[in-house]
Amino acid sequence: MSVSETANRPEHRGRGLKTWLALLAVIVAGVAVAWLGASPLRGETTPTGVVIRTVKAGEGPFIQAQDGVMVEYEGRLPDGTVFDDSARHGGPQPMIAGQVIPGFAEALSKMQKGGKYKIHIPGKEAYGENPPPGSPFGPNADLDFDVHIVQIVPNAALMAGAPGAGGEPQAAPPEGQPQPEAQLPPQPEAQPQPQQ
């Protein structure tokens, strides 16, 4: 082995180490970019466990508890069974944001007009231990929804004098806004019980 070969050996090993470190850095950066890029797919999880994933961002202000909303939705059980959807009721359904199950109300507060969302509501934030009689789900059943916010009517609960709206009803809505009717969202259709 010549003197020049011996002198160059440590430098050659140093380049190999640098190459491996650079490759490792590229891999770590790629994983980080993928993780950050996938965060909209994972969605936002609230402190109560409601998961909200934005499919298509909406525009304008976020929905408030006293707002009326026209919503297209499909509700599913964890096994994928559809238990209710707005199409069964003739299209978008009106509801007051603060008068729906707690998890749905919480999710609505993160939504905007025109937006499309997927939400997962844990059972304790849905109907809890006492689901409505005849409903297709049992106690503490988790619920999943696809939601499209078609329209928002600000302060609809106040204008309609809805109970629990937190204010006095107005004599008339502001000019150019329709007078909404105070309605609760439709309850899931009762399923016939098997005869024993």
Side-chain angles (χ1 to χ4, degrees), residues 6 8-20:
T6 307
N8 287 334
R9 273 187 133 175
E11 183 181 316
H12 181 60
R13 274 191 257 171
R15 275 188 287 181
L17 180 61
K18 288 179 184 175
T19 302
W20 281 107

Side-chain angles (χ1 to χ4, degrees), residues 140-166:
N140 292 314
D142 292 353
L143 303 177
D144 295 301
F145 289 90
D146 290 335
V147 177
H148 174 216
I149 305 299
V150 177
Q151 183 67 38
I152 301 173
V153 179
N155 297 312
L158 299 175
M159 291 187 288

Side-chain angles (χ1 to χ4, degrees), residues 2-81:
S2 73
V3 174
S4 64
E5 288 176 335
T6 307
N8 287 334
R9 273 187 133 175
E11 183 181 316
H12 181 60
R13 274 191 257 171
R15 275 188 287 181
L17 180 61
K18 288 179 184 175
T19 302
W20 281 107
L21 288 174
L23 181 60
L24 182 61
V26 168
I27 291 170
V28 168
V31 169
V33 167
W35 176 259
L36 292 173
S39 48
L41 299 176
R42 287 190 307 273
E44 171 188 352
T45 303
T46 70
T48 62
V50 175
V51 179
I52 305 142
R53 183 167 66 91
T54 302
V55 176
K56 176 187 171 221
E59 296 179 346
F62 289 96
I63 298 170
Q64 303 297 310
Q66 70 276 7
D67 292 344
V69 290
M70 292 293 289
V71 179
E72 291 176 339
Y73 66 89
E74 179 181 87
R76 291 178 311 283
L77 299 174
D79 68 2
T81 302

